[in-house]
Amino acid sequence: DFNVSLPYLGKDELGDLSSSIQKLAKDLEHLKNERNEFLASIAHELSTPLTYLIGYSKIAMREDLSDDDRVHYIKIIGEESERMKELVKNLLDLAKMDETTFTVSKEHFSVRPFFDNVCKLVQPSYEMKKINLHLKCNEDFQVYADPVRLEQIILNLLDNALKYSDEHSEVTLEVQKFENKTIISVIDKGIGIPSDEIELIFEKLYRVEKSRSRQFGGSGIGLAVVQELVEAHGGTIEVKSKLGEGSVFKVTI
Ligand code: ADP
C-alpha cells in the first residue's frame, strides 16, 4: 500500500530514500558518539590539572616545608593553572566558531613589535625547558589581521613547538613578506609527526599516539582552533614534518 499512498515514488526511489534515512541515522549516531567522546576528553583534561592543583596546594601549606620547596610547589600550581586557562580559552573559541558568532576584526599593524611581544610572552616557558627561541623578522612591514587572533594562532603553534621538542633544542619564528601576503613559520627540531597522520592533526581532539600525547599534556584542540582562526582570516596553514627531525608550520595570511 505504500506504493499507492506515494504514487510518485518507484521502487528505486523508495530504496534510495530508505538508505538515505539509514545513512542520516548513522551520521546522527556518529555525531552523538563524537560529542560524548569530546566531552569525556575535555572532562579528563580539566580534571588532571585540577588533581594537581588540589594535591600541590595541600603540600604547599605544610608547615614543615622549606621555602624552596614551597616555591617549587606554588610554581607548579601556577603552571597547571595556565594550562587550564589556555584549554578553557580554546574551548570557548571552538564553541563560538560553531555558533558562527565568531568574528575577526582586522586592522593594520607593524609586524616587528607585534612578534617581539609574542616572543616575550612565551619566553618564561621556553627558558624553563632551556630552548632557544629565535625571531627572524628581517624587515618591518604592515600586516592586516586581527591582532588578538593572530597572537592566539602563534601562541598555540609556539606552545606545540615547545611541547614536542627536547630540552636544549631550538625553535625559530620566521616572519616574511611575500607579495601582499605575510608568511609566518614556526620551525622546530622536535619529535616530528608521522607522515600518514599529518592530515589528521587539525581535527578536533586528534593527537598523534594518545599515550605519548598524554605525557606531553594537551587536549588535541589547539590546532583545530588554529586552523579555524587562520581560515577566518582567509589564510592558509601548511605543515611539513619529518619524524625525529622536526616540524614546520607555515601560516600565510
Ligand atoms: P595537543 O593539545 O595534543 O598538542 P594540538 O591540536 O595542538 O593538540 O595538536 C594535535 C597533535 O598534533 C598533537 O597531539 C601532536 O601529536 C601533534 N603535533 C602538533 N604540533 C606538533 C609539533 N610541533 N611537533 C610534533 N607533533 C605535533
Side-chain angles (χ1 to χ4, degrees), residues 3-65:
N3 279 326
V4 177
S5 52
L6 287 170
Y8 299 109
L9 286 180
K11 254 203 176 122
D12 286 352
E13 284 96 341
L14 273 180
D16 286 352
L17 191 64
S18 145
S19 54
S20 301
I21 292 172
Q22 269 170 20
K23 191 179 167 298
L24 208 62
K26 240 194 207 154
D27 286 351
L28 274 176
E29 187 61 30
H30 180 72
L31 272 180
K32 217 170 81 189
N33 289 342
E34 231 176 36
R35 196 189 61 176
N36 286 346
E37 215 178 283
F38 187 67
L39 287 177
S41 168
I42 296 308
H44 176 91
E45 289 308 323
L46 288 173
S47 77
T48 310
L50 271 178
T51 309
Y52 281 120
L53 288 182
I54 295 166
Y56 285 119
S57 60
K58 276 187 187 150
I59 300 174
M61 281 189 302
R62 269 182 14 201
E63 279 174 13
D64 59 339
L65 220 58

Side-chain angles (χ1 to χ4, degrees), residues 34-227:
E34 231 176 36
R35 196 189 61 176
N36 286 346
E37 215 178 283
F38 187 67
L39 287 177
S41 168
I42 296 308
H44 176 91
E45 289 308 323
L46 288 173
S47 77
T48 310
L50 271 178
T51 309
Y52 281 120
L53 288 182
I54 295 166
Y56 285 119
S57 60
K58 276 187 187 150
I59 300 174
M61 281 189 302
R62 269 182 14 201
E63 279 174 13
D64 59 339
L65 220 58
S66 71
D67 281 353
D68 279 356
D69 283 348
R70 206 183 307 281
V71 168
H72 170 73
Y73 289 116
I74 292 174
K75 224 164 143 188
I76 298 176
I77 293 172
E79 282 162 29
E80 289 297 324
S81 309
E82 285 296 332
R83 259 192 67 196
M84 283 188 78
K85 197 177 111 193
E86 281 307 308
L87 176 63
V88 171
K89 198 162 100 194
N90 279 337
L91 271 176
L92 286 175
D93 274 330
L94 268 191
K96 272 192 224 151
M97 286 170 201
D98 286 349
E99 280 171 14
T100 66
T101 51
F102 171 77
T103 51
V104 177
S105 19
K106 291 189 192 176
E107 56 186 82
H108 292 279
F109 55 92
S110 305
V111 286
R112 198 174 276 145
F114 175 83
F115 284 98
D116 271 339
N117 184 54
V118 173
C119 288
K120 251 191 218 141
L121 292 176
V122 296
Q123 203 54 44
S125 47
Y126 269 70
E127 264 170 25
M128 282 218 292
K129 217 170 158 183
K130 301 178 187 75
I131 293 181
N132 272 324
L133 175 61
H134 305 286
L135 174 61
K136 258 198 197 168
C137 179
N138 295 334
E139 118 186 73
D140 196 9
F141 56 93
Q142 296 278 304
V143 60
Y144 185 56
D146 181 330
V148 176
R149 300 306 182 184
L150 187 60
E151 182 180 296
Q152 205 178 348
I153 292 170
I154 307 306
L155 286 180
N156 267 315
L157 294 177
L158 287 176
D159 186 45
N160 279 347
L162 171 71
K163 199 157 54 176
Y164 300 107
S165 294
D166 285 334
E167 279 204 347
H168 300 287
S169 186
E170 50 188 77
V171 172
T172 305
L173 171 60
E174 194 175 46
V175 187
Q176 291 159 294
K177 190 180 159 109
F178 179 70
E179 292 169 355
N180 59 345
K181 296 194 171 109
T182 304
I183 303 174
I184 307 150
S185 311
V186 176
I187 306 154
D188 70 56
K189 296 180 175 172
I191 60 174
I193 303 159
S195 56
D196 55 337
E197 296 191 68
I198 286 189
E199 276 177 38
L200 303 170
I201 57 171
F202 290 98
E203 284 177 16
K204 279 176 211 169
L205 291 184
Y206 191 85
R207 308 166 82 187
V208 176
E209 246 184 79
K210 292 214 156 112
S211 58
R212 183 181 75 173
S213 299
R214 254 320 154 241
Q215 162 205 339
F216 289 107
S219 55
I221 58 171
L223 285 179
V225 170
V226 165
Q227 188 173 40

